[in-house]
Amino acid sequence: MSDVIDLIYGAALGEGATWPDLGSQLCSMFRAQRVSLSIPDAPGVLRYLLGGGNEYADAYAAYYHRIDPFRQRAERIFHGLNRATLHAVIGEQIVPDDVLLKSEFYVDFARGAGVRHLLGGMLGVRAATPIGIQRDARSGPFDEGDRQLLMMLLPHLQRALQLEERLALANRTQLGTGALDTLAISVVIVDGTMRVLHANAAANRLMDAGHCGLAMTRSGPRPGVGAITLLARHPDDHSTLGKLIASVAMGGALRLRNTRDEPAQHASLAVLVSPAVSHFLSDVRDACRVLRGTATVVIRQLNHALRPPPGLMSELYGLTKAEADVALRFSGGATVEDVARVRQVSLETVRTQVKTILRKTNAASLRDLERIIAISSALVPTQL
């Protein structure tokens, strides 16, 4: 038992053991042919920790987990227990033999895969997380002693999965999330229920100040990892934002009110919602892909000018100090006349400078120059 417990934590922490090592040891302990443990990676997508990497696991993850009577019944039991109690049960106690042997799951899948008897346990990490220990017909059914043995292991498996998730959150894409933290614009990554997966430094500063129409709130009796949700302060805005995030595949934008009393026509918090990509929330070695059901929320206060320092404009585009100052004054829709008046120079002087600025920045017009300035302003945080 102690060796198996060591393997559980070693696999979760990546210290001297792997999940397949644990699977082999569990098969020996329970005289079983297969152990499966999968966690939801995204809505409708399973990631195997134990029992993956074979035709059986691929077929199960692709389709048969949806009609698995053991899994369906176990999840109902889990929710009935209000996710508070770890639970282990012998398969025949979940699904009677006469029901199992007639089911599509058994006839089309389990029989061919050599799965006849099951010992199941249910963990609760982010969602119902079942572990299944499976025997073929020759090995015979599990008994109460096997169930008690699994019950002794479940608390350790639960804690190990929680540790793995916390470590994953701490170590996720230092390149991706680190890049987000250097931005001056606020970026929050959420799942389809508006649970916050990552908020960059600018977003934390913006919402900590309490003067914008968005907030990040903790929920649940023991808030912790994954227990923070994004909330729009105005109920109507919150509903609209939630719908936009839930249907993120198309993307979209909206304006939010900063207070519950602010008229809709004065809403000054601009929000852009688009699908998130895996490089923000996975290992940098993984292929870059859109994460289904996960959204990137970019936030900007329209009534707060966001400009890069003049020195950055000079470094990026080779502008002189005077040209950089002139370029930045066009941010926000200023005209040539406005800039000439503020700088107390002639219109001709400003027009000459504008031509040079447009050439050096490769901008097509002053409005295009504004776009370039906005992009450049995102490169340097407003506070360090």
Side-chain angles (χ1 to χ4, degrees), residues 3-23 25 164:
D3 289 342
V4 172
I5 291 172
D6 286 344
L7 280 176
I8 289 172
Y9 290 108
L13 298 174
E15 296 179 352
T18 65
W19 288 107
D21 294 335
L22 173 62
Q25 193 73 9
E164 185 186 57

Side-chain angles (χ1 to χ4, degrees), residues 4 8 19 22-27 29-30 32 34-40 46-51 56 60 68 70-71 74-75 78 86-91 94 115 117-125 127-135 142 146-147 149-158 160-161:
V4 172
I8 289 172
W19 288 107
L22 173 62
S24 297
Q25 193 73 9
L26 289 174
C27 283
M29 172 179 278
F30 288 95
R34 183 181 290 110
V35 179
S36 63
L37 174 62
S38 58
I39 58 177
L46 296 178
R47 176 167 66 92
Y48 272 95
L49 297 177
L50 296 175
Y56 167 84
Y60 186 83
D68 181 351
F70 293 118
R71 189 184 189 101
E75 287 184 355
F78 177 72
L86 297 171
H87 198 66
V89 66
I90 297 170
I94 305 178
V115 177
H117 302 287
L118 175 76
L119 175 64
M122 186 63 72
L123 311 168
V125 185
T129 306
I131 179 171
I133 303 174
Q134 299 138 12
R135 288 178 181 169
F142 294 93
D146 295 316
R147 193 189 75 83
L149 188 60
L150 181 56
M151 280 296 296
M152 295 173 65
L153 294 175
L154 287 182
H156 298 287
L157 283 165
Q158 169 103 343
L161 290 178

Side-chain angles (χ1 to χ4, degrees), residues 186-198:
S186 301
V187 179
V188 180
I189 300 177
V190 297
D191 67 11
T193 64
M194 299 178 72
R195 183 171 63 99
V196 175
L197 304 178
H198 180 76

